[in-house]
């Protein structure tokens, strides 16, 4: 009997254990925690739900939550508008703190659209958003750099890689021969110079690309960029954030040129071909010689520190920051430097129940040192053309003179040492606003914004001798000191009405006015004979003779705008969307007859996925069709060009003496009128496969009519005199058409791993439709010395296309020269030009279209993932289909040459690409497609790897987050272009894409820390 009892007891004990284990496992517990955003700020109002149930909670003002009656096996779902939903398995945890990441793909994400906001679902225009995380990943010195490759339809090109240099921003192509810059607003304030904005202060960047930008009126024709800086939240504990990085910069490449021995051999060959005595009878001792690019390129340091604080109380919120950036240049080191200090404070206060005050203020102080760049005679131009047989200094320790190399080529190291060009900028940008809500549906708002900046510059030109006949020799030293004051203010006042009727009809209306005034005062004096020929003594006070550079006027400007605008937005059931805008702008840029213009636009959308007949399952989650059309005006021309002003300089002979006085300045045109841009956009937005893929597509067409251009006129009219210029006229039509596409993928595979990627591309077809002048074209740009302008604006062609001779190989023998017949002075080894007009002679009439500086296709690819505490991002950008003119070679007998000339023509059949070298007269230096190269490139813009300490360590240290990272900007560029940088451009609509030795964008290695506490 005992054996069965033992078995029974074992069964009973097993059942008791199972019961107790099941009871313990199913025990309901309480879970608490805190929810914050990526910056460590608490998030009130977050929904915390037990997955698959209605049990849950909402976070309080401090981000805290408590969920009762939860099982250990359950999953908590954290969701908040504008943030990515997060799921967490409870397990053995009783306290779960969660950080939510902002979701800029969310349909409920609030987007600034101009005097208001909309959710992404409601938007009917072409609007793109760049978030703070993208900016942080890129670590840009300037804001513009964060846009390249991030937004379809936005192309950013560098004017230079020198510290503090600006970039060109083009939204959907070049629309005018005049000013193609978009309108940029920071917290509603117009900002022209983005060097004064610290990228770390930015919360988001919204880009308005179509006619819906017309709400901003006159200057919105080229698109609008809305920058919102970081702000605090109400009922938020004070939090601190420290972001700092340090690193170094190097050049991405050096252009291969001949070393001293190769140079000697090539020069000897050229002189022998010309029947002259050999300059280097014995080349055996020349060796490698001086690498002038190594002498001017430096490893340059860069560092930045940014400290911010933000928080809020029951009725107020605040955010402030200070930052300091220092960057040396890769050319010339500290002689090419940018230094920036930024202070910012944002503050909001609820004065009463319905009245709110807000202010945003930025103070920036910058200093910049520059060297001559992207011009004939720049430092890099000289480094490429300087003979490698010269040493940097002679046996006496003095800089070597560049004798025999032509009038423009000088010792680049001596040039750096003798360049003193400093600029200092102090700028204050501030916005003050009041917002009053009444009767539940009305809001009255008034904003006053102003910018004030003082720009001081000091240019010292010491007495210096670079060699016999050099154009840069200075016989008498001079100092030029300038101080320019710029000020502008904008006053916007408007009413907003917002109401819902019958739950289905939603109406918003806006009615307002805007006043804008900008003015400036210039002063500049040049003094001579500084004692000691020293920069330390260089000041106007120490000069012997002083000249007022504005003695004939032109030392001030004052322009104004007055605008009235209205907008109506309506939707039915959130799926039929409509918006209409009318803006009346008045500008002092035009005469009384044409001063005011009316500019309407409209857009509509249809959320197809909300229709009952559409099956929105796991594949199709959202689909919206939208379109817009409108007319936007543009007045970006110099002030008062409709009247004649006495601000030119006249030279008169009085009593047999030459005297200077005042004369008529720029020629006037009282008939000039608004430039008008007509914009069409049709697109759709879609989300598919459980919202993992976000797709946007747009077709756009921009037609700019009545282009405001500078008219080419006869020199008899005196337009070449100091202070004078040709008149501004309405004389052209330009059209841009293209497609934009973006697809983004975002998925969290587990608690430890998430992945995201986005790809975008833009196609662009730019065509000049009409040019209204006697020539039928407008020339521009420069090539070589004394040659005709290489670029044109002409009907049927892209704006600024390259106009020159077309080559057809190289003459291999005398028989080919004679058979061609059109080049009587040609010889074997010379470039063979095509006789386009067939008249039997090569001349300027044989010039034709030989290249397009505008890319036909641009794209960006961004990839990122998070694995446990590691994060990785990579950004790439490509530009395809544009051409670049190689104009950094000086065609003189003794200058250095690119290494490609080792494959020069040396006899019949040797090559059909590089012409012979010779000192004899030839036409190989005429502008032709020999100097035009494919500028297409693919650039890995940024690669970054970061590591965040786990919460166990950060809590022990009393901080919210500590992240360290390493990044490389401008990692590598894949291109066949032989110059320094295929991404650089002067930005000129006519004459852009001509490379005179662009200062390349540096490769930057950084190590940084993000600390939040």
């Amino acid at each position: 009997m005992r054996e069965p009892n033992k078995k029974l007891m074992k069964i009973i004990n097993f059942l008791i254990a199972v019961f107790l284990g099941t009871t313990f496992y199913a025990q309901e517990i309480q879970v608490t925690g805190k929810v914050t955003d990526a910056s460590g700020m608490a998030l009130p109002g977050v929904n915390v739900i037990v997955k698959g149930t209605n049990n849950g909670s909402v976070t309080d003002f401090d981000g805290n939550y408590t969920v009762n009656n939860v099982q250990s096996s359950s999953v908590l779902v954290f969701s908040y508008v504008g943030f990515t939903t997060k799921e967490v398995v409870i397990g053995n945890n009783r306290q779960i703190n969660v950080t939510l990441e902002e979701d800029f793909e969310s349909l409920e994400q609030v987007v600034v659209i101009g005097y208001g906001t909309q959710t992404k679902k409601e938007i009917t225009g072409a609007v793109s958003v760049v978030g703070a995380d993208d900016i942080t990943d890129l670590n840009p010195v300037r804001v513009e750099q964060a846009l390249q490759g991030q937004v379809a339809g936005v192309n950013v090109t560098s004017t230079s890689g020198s510290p503090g240099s600006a970039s060109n921003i083009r939204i959907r192509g070049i629309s005018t021969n005049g000013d193609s810059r978009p309108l940029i607003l920071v917290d509603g304030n117009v900002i022209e110079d983005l060097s004064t904005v610290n990228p770390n202060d930015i919360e988001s960047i919204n880009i308005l690309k179509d006619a819906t930008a017309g709400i901003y009126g006159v200057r919105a024709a080229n698109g609008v960029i809305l920058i919102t800086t970081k702000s605090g939240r109400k009922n938020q504990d004070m939090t601190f954030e420290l972001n700092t990085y340090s690193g170094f910069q190097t050049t991405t490449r050096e252009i291969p040129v001949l070393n001293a021995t190769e140079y000697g051999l090539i020069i000897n060959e050229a002189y022998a071909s010309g029947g002259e005595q050999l300059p280097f009878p014995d080349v055996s001792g020349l060796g490698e010689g001086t690498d002038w690019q190594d002498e001017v390129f430096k490893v340059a340091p860069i560092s930045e520190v940014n400290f911010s604080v933000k928080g809020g109380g029951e009725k107020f919120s605040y955010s402030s920051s200070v930052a300091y950036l220092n960057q040396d240049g890769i050319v010339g080191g500290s002689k090419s430097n940018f230094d920036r200090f930024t202070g910012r404070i944002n503050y909001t206060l609820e004065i009463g129940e319905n009245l709110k005050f807000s202010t945003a203020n930025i103070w920036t102080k910058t200093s910049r040192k520059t060297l001559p760049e992207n011009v004939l005679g720049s430092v890099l131009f000289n480094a490429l053309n300087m003979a490698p047989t010269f040493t940097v200094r002679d046996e006496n320790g003095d800089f070597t003179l560049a004798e025999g190399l032509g009038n423009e080529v000088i010792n680049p190291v001596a040039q750096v040492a003798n360049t003193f060009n400093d600029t200092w900028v102090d700028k204050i940008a501030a916005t003050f606003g009041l917002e009053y809500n009444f009767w539940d549906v009305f809001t009255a708002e008034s904003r006053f914004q102003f910018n004030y900046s003082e720009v001081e510059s000091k240019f010292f030109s010491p007495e210096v001798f670079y060699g016999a006949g050099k154009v840069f020799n200075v016989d008498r030293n001079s100092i030029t000191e300038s101080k320019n004051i710029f000020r502008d203010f904008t006053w916007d006042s408007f009413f907003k009405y917002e109401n819902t009727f019958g739950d289905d009809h939603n109406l918003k209306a806006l009615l307002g006015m805007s006043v804008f005034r900008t003015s400036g005062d210039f002063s500049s004096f040049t003094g001579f004979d500084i004692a000691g020929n020293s920069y330390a003594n260089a000041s106007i006070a120490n000069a012997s003779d002083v000249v007022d550079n504005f003695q004939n006027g032109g030392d001030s400007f004052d322009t104004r705008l007055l605008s009235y605008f209205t907008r109506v937005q309506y939707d039915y059931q959130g799926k039929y969307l409509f918006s209409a805008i009318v803006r009346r702008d008045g500008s002092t840029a035009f005469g009384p007859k044409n001063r005011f213009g009316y500019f309407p636009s409209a857009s509509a959308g249809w959320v197809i996925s909300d229709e009952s007949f559409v099956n929105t399952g796991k594949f199709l989650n959202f689909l919206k069709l939208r379109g817009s059309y409108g007319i936007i005006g543009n007045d970006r021309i110099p002030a008062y060009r409709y009247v004649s002003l006495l601000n030119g300089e006249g030279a008169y002979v009085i009593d047999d003496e030459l005297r200077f006085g005042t004369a008529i300045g720029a020629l006037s045109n009282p008939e000039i009128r608004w430039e008008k841009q007509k914009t069409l956009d049709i697109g759709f937005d879609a989300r598919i496969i459980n919202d993992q893929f976000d797709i946007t597509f747009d077709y756009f067409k921009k037609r700019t009519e009545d282009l405001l251009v500078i008219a080419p006129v006869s020199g008899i009219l005196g337009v070449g005199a100091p202070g004078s210029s040709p008149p501004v006229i309405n004389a052209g039509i330009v059209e841009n058409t293209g497609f934009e596409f973006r697809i983004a993928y975002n998925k969290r595979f587990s608690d430890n791993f998430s992945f995201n990627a986005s790809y975008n591309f833009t196609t662009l077809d730019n065509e000049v439709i009409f040019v209204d002048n006697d020539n039928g074209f407008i020339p521009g740009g420069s090539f070589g010395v004394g040659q005709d302008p290489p670029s044109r604006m002409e009907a049927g062609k892209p704006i600024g296309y390259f106009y020159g001779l077309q080559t057809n190989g190289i003459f291999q023998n005398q028989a080919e020269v004679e058979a061609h017949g059109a080049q009587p002075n040609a010889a074997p080894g010379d470039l063979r030009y095509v006789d386009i007009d067939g008249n039997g002679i090569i001349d300027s009439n044989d010039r034709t279209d030989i290249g397009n500086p505008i890319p036909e296709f641009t794209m960006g690819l961004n990839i990122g993932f998070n694995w446990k505490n590691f994060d990785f991002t990579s950004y790439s950008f490509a530009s395809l289909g544009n051409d670049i003119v190689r104009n950094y070679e000086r065609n003189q007998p003794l200058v250095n040459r690119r290494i490609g000339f080792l494959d020069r023509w040396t006899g019949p059949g040797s090559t059909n690409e590089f012409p012979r070298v010779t000192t004899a007269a030839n036409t190989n230096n005429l502008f032709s497609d020999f100097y035009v190269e494919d500028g297409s490139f693919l650039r890995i813009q940024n690669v970054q790897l970061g590591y965040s300490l786990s919460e166990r360590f950060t809590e022990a240290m009393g901080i919210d987050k500590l992240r360290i990272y390493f990044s490389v900007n401008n990692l590598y560029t894949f291109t066949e272009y032989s110059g320094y940088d295929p991404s650089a451009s002067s930005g000129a609509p006519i004459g852009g894409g001509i490379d005179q030795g662009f200062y390349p964008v540096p490769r930057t290695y950084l190590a940084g820390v993000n600390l939040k506490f």
Side-chain angles (χ1 to χ4, degrees):
M1 290 292 295
R2 290 180 179 178
E3 288 296 320
N5 288 338
K6 287 183 178 180
K7 290 181 179 179
L8 179 62
M9 289 301 297
K10 287 182 179 180
I11 293 172
I12 292 172
N13 289 337
F14 173 77
L15 292 174
I16 292 173
V18 170
F19 174 76
L20 292 176
T22 304
T23 302
F24 177 78
Y25 184 79
Q27 181 182 8
E28 293 182 337
I29 61 175
Q30 181 186 78
V31 178
T32 62
K34 184 175 183 177
V35 182
T36 59
D37 64 11
S39 66
M41 293 184 63
L43 290 176
V46 177
N47 291 313
V48 186
I49 303 295
V50 179
K51 190 174 183 178
T53 73
N54 293 323
N55 183 25
S57 176
V58 177
T59 58
D60 61 19
F61 285 121
D62 296 318
N64 298 316
Y65 71 93
T66 299
V67 181
N68 297 311
N69 304 322
V70 185
Q71 296 183 0
S72 301
S73 59
S74 298
V75 176
L76 291 182
V77 180
F78 298 82
S79 61
Y80 191 56
V81 173
F83 287 76
T84 302
T85 299
K86 192 170 186 177
E87 297 183 0
V88 179
V89 178
I90 295 174
N92 295 323
N93 300 311
R94 298 299 179 268
Q95 181 173 350
I96 300 176
N97 298 326
V98 171
T99 299
L100 296 183
E101 302 289 337
E102 287 193 71
D103 182 8
F104 285 96
E105 306 298 336
S106 170
L107 294 175
E108 303 304 318
Q109 176 67 37
V110 176
V111 178
V112 178
I113 58 168
Y115 303 108
T117 60
Q118 279 186 306
T119 64
K120 291 187 70 174
K121 181 179 179 180
E122 297 171 329
I123 289 175
T124 53
V127 181
S128 297
V129 180
V130 176
D133 290 342
D134 295 319
I135 299 172
T136 300
D137 291 341
L138 287 167
N139 282 321
V141 174
R142 291 180 60 107
V143 177
E144 306 98 306
Q145 298 164 353
L147 299 177
Q148 184 69 293
Q150 302 296 303
V151 181
V154 178
N155 190 22
V156 180
T157 57
S158 302
T159 58
S160 167
S162 63
S165 59
S167 299
N168 303 304
I169 306 175
R170 299 291 181 261
I171 298 178
R172 293 183 168 179
I174 299 174
S175 302
T176 175
N177 182 36
D179 191 339
S180 292
R181 293 174 299 164
L183 174 65
I184 301 173
L185 298 103
V186 179
D187 294 326
N189 197 1
V190 176
I191 298 290
E192 296 285 357
D193 181 10
L194 281 175
S195 69
T196 61
V197 179
N198 177 18
N200 280 298
D201 288 336
I202 296 176
E203 182 66 33
S204 67
I205 304 175
N206 298 345
I207 300 98
L208 312 183
K209 298 182 287 187
D210 66 345
T212 56
I215 189 64
Y216 283 109
V218 51
R219 287 172 300 171
N222 300 313
V224 179
I225 297 176
L226 305 174
I227 297 175
T228 303
T229 60
K230 296 177 180 178
S231 60
R233 294 190 179 99
K234 293 192 303 180
N235 298 297
Q236 193 72 50
D237 291 337
M238 181 182 292
T239 59
F240 301 91
E241 186 171 344
L242 176 66
N243 297 306
T244 181
Y245 65 76
S246 183
F248 62 92
Q249 311 156 91
T250 64
T251 182
T252 53
R253 70 170 305 190
E254 292 184 6
I255 297 175
V257 294
L258 304 176
N259 63 33
T261 301
E262 295 165 340
Y263 167 82
L265 292 170
I266 293 292
I267 295 301
N268 282 345
E269 182 180 321
Y271 273 72
S273 176
E276 299 184 64
Q277 185 177 352
L278 302 184
F280 303 100
D282 182 11
V283 299
S284 60
L286 295 179
E288 293 289 324
T290 302
D291 188 330
W292 289 100
Q293 294 180 83
D294 272 351
E295 296 296 332
V296 299
F297 278 122
K298 305 293 181 183
V299 176
I302 180 174
S303 62
E304 183 179 31
V305 59
N306 183 88
F307 181 77
S308 63
V309 58
K310 55 185 175 181
E314 184 71 25
K315 292 183 177 298
F316 66 91
S317 64
Y318 59 87
S319 173
S320 64
S321 68
V322 291
Y324 176 72
L325 167 77
N326 185 268
Q327 179 187 16
D328 276 355
I330 59 173
V331 177
S334 60
K335 293 297 289 280
S336 174
N337 172 270
F338 181 64
D339 195 85
R340 180 181 67 203
F341 177 84
T342 305
R344 176 187 61 88
I345 182 167
N346 291 3
Y347 181 76
T348 61
L349 173 66
E350 292 183 0
I351 300 174
E353 182 178 354
N354 298 321
L355 181 63
K356 183 172 72 174
F357 167 79
S358 63
T359 181
N361 307 271
I362 300 174
W363 173 60
T364 308
K365 184 179 182 63
T366 65
S367 65
R368 189 179 180 212
K369 298 179 180 179
T370 58
L371 296 169
E373 56 181 85
N374 195 31
V375 292
L376 186 72
S378 70
V379 173
L380 290 178
F381 175 91
N382 288 317
L384 291 169
N385 289 281
M386 186 71 174
T389 52
F390 287 106
T391 57
V392 176
R393 294 180 182 269
D394 59 23
E395 60 276 6
N396 298 322
D398 299 322
F399 286 117
T400 301
L401 303 179
E403 300 288 7
L405 301 184
N407 296 337
E408 298 85 18
V409 179
I410 60 176
N411 183 332
V413 181
Q415 182 182 22
V416 171
N418 287 288
T419 299
F420 304 92
N421 194 4
D422 296 347
T423 302
W424 302 270
V425 179
D426 274 294
K427 181 170 184 177
I428 297 175
T431 300
F432 302 92
L434 286 173
E435 179 182 320
Y436 179 67
N437 301 312
F438 58 100
W439 299 344
D440 295 329
V441 294
F442 287 100
T443 301
E445 190 168 347
S446 185
R447 303 175 188 164
F448 180 80
Q449 303 135 58
F450 76 89
N451 295 288
Y452 177 85
S453 59
E454 295 183 357
V455 182
E456 297 184 64
S457 61
K458 183 177 180 180
F459 173 67
F460 177 57
S461 180
E463 183 179 330
V464 63
F465 181 73
Y466 292 111
K470 301 296 183 182
V471 295
F472 301 108
N473 289 339
V474 178
D475 298 326
R476 186 186 186 193
N477 69 41
S478 65
I479 175 71
T480 298
E481 294 183 356
S482 301
K483 182 174 182 179
N484 302 328
I485 297 176
F486 300 90
R487 61 186 77 82
D488 66 63
F489 74 80
T490 306
W491 178 39
D492 295 327
S493 292
F494 48 90
F495 285 96
K496 291 191 289 188
Y497 171 82
E498 183 174 351
N499 204 356
T500 298
F501 303 93
D503 295 331
D504 290 333
H505 303 274
N506 300 297
L507 178 66
K508 297 179 182 179
L510 172 73
L511 178 64
M513 65 168 291
S514 178
V515 177
F516 175 78
R517 178 183 180 183
T518 179
S519 60
D521 298 298
F522 309 137
S523 64
S524 177
F525 297 89
T526 299
F528 299 90
D529 303 326
I530 302 300
N533 198 37
S534 168
Y535 184 66
N537 298 328
S539 71
I540 292 296
N542 295 331
S544 62
D545 298 327
V546 177
V547 176
D548 182 355
N549 297 319
F550 287 103
Q551 59 185 327
N552 293 311
D555 57 349
S556 64
F557 71 92
D558 187 342
T559 59
R560 309 176 190 196
L561 297 169
L562 174 62
S563 304
Y564 303 94
F565 52 87
T566 184
R567 178 177 61 202
V568 176
Q569 296 166 289
Y570 168 79
D571 74 73
Y572 175 70
Q573 295 184 341
K575 60 183 176 181
Y576 306 114
L577 315 170
F578 175 77
S579 176
I581 298 168
V582 176
R583 179 144 178 156
R584 181 179 186 260
D585 285 315
S587 171
T588 57
F590 307 107
K593 291 193 302 182
N594 301 310
R595 181 152 295 167
F596 285 91
Y598 288 88
F599 305 103
S601 61
S603 60
W606 177 25
V607 183
I608 302 175
S609 54
D610 282 357
E611 297 289 359
S612 58
F613 58 81
V614 177
N615 182 18
T616 54
K618 291 184 178 180
F619 178 78
L620 179 63
N621 310 117
F622 176 77
L623 177 62
K624 177 177 65 179
L625 181 67
R626 51 181 168 75
S628 66
Y629 179 81
I631 302 173
I632 307 176
N634 185 18
D635 74 335
R636 292 201 173 193
I637 58 174
Y640 303 112
R641 297 303 291 270
Y642 64 92
V643 293
S644 297
L645 299 177
L646 291 174
N647 58 1
E649 181 179 301
Y652 307 92
V653 177
I654 301 176
D655 296 331
D656 295 327
E657 291 185 14
L658 185 63
R659 299 185 181 184
F660 296 94
T662 301
I664 294 177
L667 298 185
S668 66
N669 176 14
E671 301 300 323
I672 52 175
R673 58 189 179 276
W674 291 88
E675 182 177 282
K676 296 182 290 293
Q677 184 184 107
K678 300 178 180 179
T679 301
L680 170 69
D681 184 279
I682 300 174
F684 70 83
D685 304 309
R687 299 169 74 94
I688 61 174
I689 312 179
N690 295 323
D691 288 321
Q692 294 175 23
F693 290 90
D694 190 293
I695 301 172
T696 300
F697 174 85
D698 284 274
Y699 165 79
F700 64 88
K701 181 177 182 180
K702 294 199 305 181
R703 183 183 177 92
T704 308
E705 300 177 350
D706 290 333
L707 257 67
L708 293 165
V709 302
I710 302 295
V713 296
S714 172
I716 298 175
L717 298 176
V719 294
S724 184
S725 67
V728 175
I729 62 174
N730 297 95
I733 300 173
V734 173
E735 196 168 87
N736 288 277
T737 56
F739 297 93
E740 294 174 0
F741 175 80
R742 180 181 182 271
I743 182 170
Y745 173 75
N746 196 329
K747 183 175 182 180
R748 177 174 290 276
F749 291 89
S750 68
D751 290 340
N752 291 327
F753 182 74
S754 62
F755 177 83
N756 64 84
S758 66
Y759 170 77
N760 68 77
F761 74 77
T762 304
T763 68
L764 181 65
D765 179 21
N766 176 281
E767 183 181 0
V768 176
I769 305 300
F770 175 65
V771 176
D772 186 13
N773 64 17
D774 293 338
N775 296 329
F777 65 87
I778 299 174
S782 63
F783 178 84
V785 177
Q787 296 197 40
D788 291 332
S791 301
R792 283 189 173 187
M793 174 183 172
E794 185 176 5
K797 301 290 184 180
I799 190 169
Y801 82 100
F802 301 131
Y803 186 72
L805 297 173
Q806 182 178 326
T807 62
N808 183 21
I810 292 174
F811 292 115
Q812 297 297 318
N813 50 56
Q814 187 61 34
E816 290 188 4
V817 175
E818 295 174 356
H820 186 56
Q823 293 175 240
N825 297 322
D830 286 342
L831 294 172
R832 176 169 48 207
Y833 299 121
V834 177
D835 185 10
I836 296 294
D837 61 6
N839 67 351
I841 187 170
I842 299 297
D843 55 22
S844 60
N845 294 323
D846 293 303
R847 290 177 296 168
T848 187
D849 181 357
I850 57 174
N852 179 8
I854 301 174
E856 299 173 352
F857 187 91
T858 56
M859 61 181 180
L861 174 63
N862 309 318
I863 298 174
F865 66 81
N866 291 271
W867 179 69
K868 294 186 176 179
N869 291 5
F870 290 94
D871 60 86
F872 173 84
T873 55
S874 174
Y875 295 83
S876 301
F877 175 77
S879 174
L880 307 173
N882 64 296
D883 299 302
I884 300 178
V885 173
R886 188 182 68 252
N887 191 32
Y888 48 77
E889 299 162 306
R890 184 70 180 102
N891 289 300
Q892 291 286 340
L894 288 172
V895 299
N896 204 0
R897 290 169 169 80
R898 293 182 300 135
I899 202 169
F901 276 90
L902 293 177
D903 298 324
R904 69 208 173 279
W905 185 91
T906 55
S910 56
T911 183
N912 208 30
E913 295 182 8
F914 277 89
R916 63 181 176 139
V917 291
T918 182
T919 59
N922 63 81
T923 58
N924 294 329
N925 64 340
L926 295 178
F927 179 55
S928 68
D929 55 15
F930 175 72
Y931 297 96
V932 179
E933 297 186 23
D934 182 4
S936 302
F937 69 91
L938 167 62
R939 171 169 291 170
I940 303 175
Q941 293 194 130
N942 177 272
V943 174
Q944 184 176 132
L945 177 64
Y947 178 80
S948 300
L949 269 65
S950 65
E951 289 186 7
R952 179 164 58 93
F953 289 103
T954 56
E955 287 179 359
M957 298 168 64
I959 59 177
D960 296 321
K961 182 177 182 180
L962 177 60
R963 175 179 177 266
I964 59 174
Y965 65 89
F966 301 93
S967 70
V968 184
N969 294 328
N970 193 18
L971 177 61
Y972 192 80
T973 301
F974 300 89
T975 184
E976 295 184 357
Y977 179 58
S978 62
Y980 285 117
D981 193 339
S983 70
S985 172
S986 67
I990 307 176
I994 300 176
D995 185 355
Q996 301 187 86
F998 276 119
Y999 193 129
V1001 176
R1003 178 179 295 130
T1004 306
Y1005 302 87
L1006 298 176
V1009 175
N1010 305 131
L1011 174 63
K1012 300 174 183 178
F1013 57 98

